[in-house]
Structure formats: structure tokens, C-alpha cells
């Protein structure tokens, strides 16, 4: 799997605390450039973190058998957040021959759920 820490991930300031085929934990700090015009965390950031957590975990699980691509991202925004640090925890719901489904929950520093998403991944294999 390519190094997931550069590019867009670095631009958003995501840091990986835990990375495995069964669980991915990502932290990032809300910064002014990640806010939408009303001064709260932009929903697109949540979508990107959800997609990243699912894709990294799914790729690790699939391993040398192929690679994964996201085919669906459904992310709900539950609580407005203006500052602080957020943590995303991604876990698999289903891992099959052709697709995977991952759930990602994002919480604030007080442990309150602020966003929840799921990503369906397509397993691209040589067989």
C-alpha cells in the first residue's frame, strides 16, 4: 500500500494514531482554513476523513490481493464544532470478496459524536 500520510491527508493535518486491517484511528486539529463560512468545521473535511479511514483499513485488509477504491461515501453531520481536536475511528462492518463496508465515527475531545459515516469500497483484484 502506498504511504497514506502525504498529499491531501497532510493538507488536512490528519495524523494516524492506529492503523490496522481492523481499526483505523485518525486525529486532526480544526484550523481556520478548514471551517465553512459560518465558522464551523466544513462537512467536506468529515467526508474526507471518513473516506481516508475506510480506505486505509480496507487496503490493509485486502493486502497484496489487490487495491480498493471508494464507490460510496455517506456521511452525516451531527454536531457543529468550531475548534479543538477531533478523532475518527474506522471499523469494518462487512468484508467480502468484491466489496467492503466500513463505518467511521468522529468525536470531539469531550467524547461527543459529531459525525458518522460509512464507505463502501470495491476490492479490485487480479482474479
Amino acid at each position: 500500500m502506498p504511504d497514506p500520510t502525504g498529499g491531501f491527508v497532510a493538507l488536512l493535518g490528519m495524523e494516524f494514531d492506529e492503523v490496522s486491517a481492523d481499526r483505523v484511528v485518525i486525529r486532526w486539529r480544526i484550523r481556520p482554513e478548514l471551517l465553512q463560512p459560518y465558522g464551523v468545521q466544513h462537512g467536506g473535511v468529515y467526508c474526507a476523513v471518513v473516506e481516508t479511514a475506510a480506505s486505509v483499513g480496507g487496503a490493509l485488509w485486502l493486502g497484496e490481493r489487490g487495491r480498493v477504491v471508494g464507490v460510496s461515501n455517506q456521511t452525516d453531520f451531527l454536531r457543529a464544532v468550531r475548534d479543538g481536536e477531533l478523532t475518527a475511528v474506522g471499523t469494518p462492518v462487512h468484508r467480502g470478496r468484491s466489496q467492503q463496508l466500513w463505518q467511521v465515527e468522529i468525536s470531539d475531545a469531550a467524547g461527543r459524536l459529531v459525525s458518522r459515516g460509512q464507505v463502501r469500497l470495491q476490492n479490485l483484484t487480479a482474479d
Side-chain angles (χ1 to χ4, degrees):
M1 181 177 95
D3 179 9
T5 60
F8 190 57
V9 168
L11 184 68
L12 293 180
M14 291 184 226
E15 295 182 24
F16 291 87
D17 285 349
E18 185 178 335
V19 178
S20 76
D22 297 316
R23 182 175 155 97
V24 176
V25 179
I26 297 173
R27 272 183 310 106
W28 77 100
R29 180 154 294 286
I30 297 174
R31 305 184 320 268
E33 59 270 25
L34 300 180
L35 301 178
Q36 45 94 306
Y38 294 106
V40 299
Q41 174 71 87
H42 192 289
V45 175
Y46 292 130
C47 293
V49 173
V50 166
E51 181 95 15
T52 300
S55 296
V56 168
L60 287 171
W61 178 78
L62 192 60
E64 297 299 318
R65 294 175 285 164
R67 55 194 174 113
V68 298
V69 294
V71 294
S72 175
N73 181 331
Q74 167 61 49
T75 301
D76 296 306
F77 317 125
L78 307 172
R79 178 184 295 272
V81 181
R82 298 177 184 285
D83 57 19
E85 187 172 83
L86 299 174
T87 302
V89 178
T91 55
V93 175
H94 169 78
R95 296 186 284 202
R97 183 182 54 79
S98 62
Q99 291 191 339
Q100 300 180 50
L101 181 64
W102 281 71
Q103 175 178 294
V104 181
E105 292 186 341
I106 300 172
S107 302
D108 65 11
R112 297 175 296 191
L113 187 63
V114 300
S115 182
R116 181 204 167 279
Q118 67 178 31
V119 171
R120 183 168 299 283
L121 301 168
Q122 185 72 36
N123 298 330
L124 301 178
T125 60
D127 36 5

